[in-house]
Amino acid sequence: MMGLDTPHSSYRRAVIIYNPFAGRLARRERLLERSVKILAEQGTNATLIPTTGPNTASRIAKRVVNEGADLIVIAGGDGTINEVANGFVNADGTIFAGAAMGILPLGTGGDFQRTLGIPSKLEDAVEILASGISAPIDLGKAEFVGLNGAPATRYLVNVASFGMGGAVASRAKNPWSRWSGRLAFLWATFAVVASYRGNRVTLEIDGAPSPNSYRITNIAIGNGRFHGSGMHPCPTAVLNDGILEVTVIEYLHLFELARDIRILYSANVYRHPKVHHLRCRRIVARAEEPTLIEIDGEPLGALPLEVTIAPGRLLVVVPRSSPLLAP
């Protein structure tokens, strides 16, 4: 069974799932060709499979792990990573343990790779496919109201948020996305804040009602630490501790948000007087007003939302210097 300190030379068959529209074409092709070559040098037979639309990455991952692939590499951004991770979930809700997931950052956000310690420089990330080791991480199971109004389930590797986060995610694909994920996120943030008035949300933490309901700017539920192209919503989150970090940002007026955006974007977010830090294994959030959610950067639905830690662990290839491996 694969686990911590498993080198890539032990993998027999790899599939590289890539978004054909992520990154610059010529550079992407060179990267993919080099990845196949490096894996071949390690004794791993690698195949390239492109995505063809939304959620196809999840279906590809589920199919190839059931066909015997033991390394699934995502060449894309946070949305594609989330889709592939969902492909590792078995029908009974447990996590498939016979394969590991690798990451080549080609998207605009790169938030999950930051938590793992995977470098943004593509050439360095390719080398990790040969020199990295596999480490187990948690997945969060999110149950909510989908965009079509029906109950929906999605597994998260990184962060789910609601309030401004959900509204911003719906606008984050904008002209700035081509140049900078961070600029696209900031543009979407200020576009939303001009009309956002703050929804009142009630929380249930590990089965007990929170003593307070909150009029919120945003609430983030973190398995990972980053979202919004480098924002630190959950700076103390650990991917493999079985705990969800919850960051509640109470409602901030436009002036307050503009004044304090630097601290809200930083690892010092918990120092802000309108920020509350909670920890749990299960959280349920409800609101009387429509309140949008996002999961790993994708706008997927609305409250009510329940997030729990899924049973089992997902193996992810990380550098040997990854903070995930720190004692």
Side-chain angles (χ1 to χ4, degrees), residues 6 15 18 59 80 117 124 143 146 173 177 207 209 245 299:
T6 299
V15 171
Y18 68 98
R59 293 195 292 269
T80 309
D124 293 340
E143 298 174 275
K173 301 293 189 297
S177 302
E245 303 288 333

Side-chain angles (χ1 to χ4, degrees), residues 231-296:
M231 189 176 185
H232 296 65
C234 301
T236 60
V238 177
L239 284 165
N240 56 6
D241 65 352
I243 297 294
L244 297 166
E245 303 288 333
V246 181
T247 301
V248 179
I249 302 177
E250 292 189 63
Y251 179 66
L252 299 170
H253 296 284
L254 179 60
F255 170 77
E256 293 177 293
L257 185 62
R259 180 194 64 194
D260 299 339
I261 190 68
R262 181 171 295 181
I263 188 171
L264 294 172
Y265 222 92
S266 76
N268 296 318
V269 62
Y270 293 142
R271 296 182 182 178
H272 194 282
K274 287 192 174 182
V275 173
H276 307 275
H277 178 203
L278 309 171
R279 305 179 80 236
C280 62
R281 296 180 184 275
R282 173 179 175 267
I283 180 171
V284 179
R286 300 179 177 89
E288 292 185 2
E289 305 168 272
T291 303
L292 299 176
I293 69 168
E294 60 85 12
I295 295 175
D296 291 347

Side-chain angles (χ1 to χ4, degrees), residues 201-203 209-214 276:
V201 173
T202 60
L203 302 179
S210 172
N212 300 307
S213 66
Y214 304 94
H276 307 275

Side-chain angles (χ1 to χ4, degrees), residues 67-114:
E67 291 174 349
D70 52 7
L71 174 62
I72 314 300
V73 179
I74 303 102
D78 291 321
T80 309
I81 291 170
N82 176 273
E83 286 191 30
V84 170
N86 275 264
F88 277 77
V89 179
N90 298 314
D92 63 357
T94 59
I95 300 167
F96 185 80
M101 186 172 77
I103 297 171
L104 296 176
L106 278 177
T108 56
D111 290 302
F112 185 57
Q113 78 183 63
R114 289 184 178 91

Side-chain angles (χ1 to χ4, degrees), residues 14-26:
V15 171
I16 301 174
I17 301 173
Y18 68 98
N19 180 348
F21 303 105
R24 289 176 291 176
L25 177 61

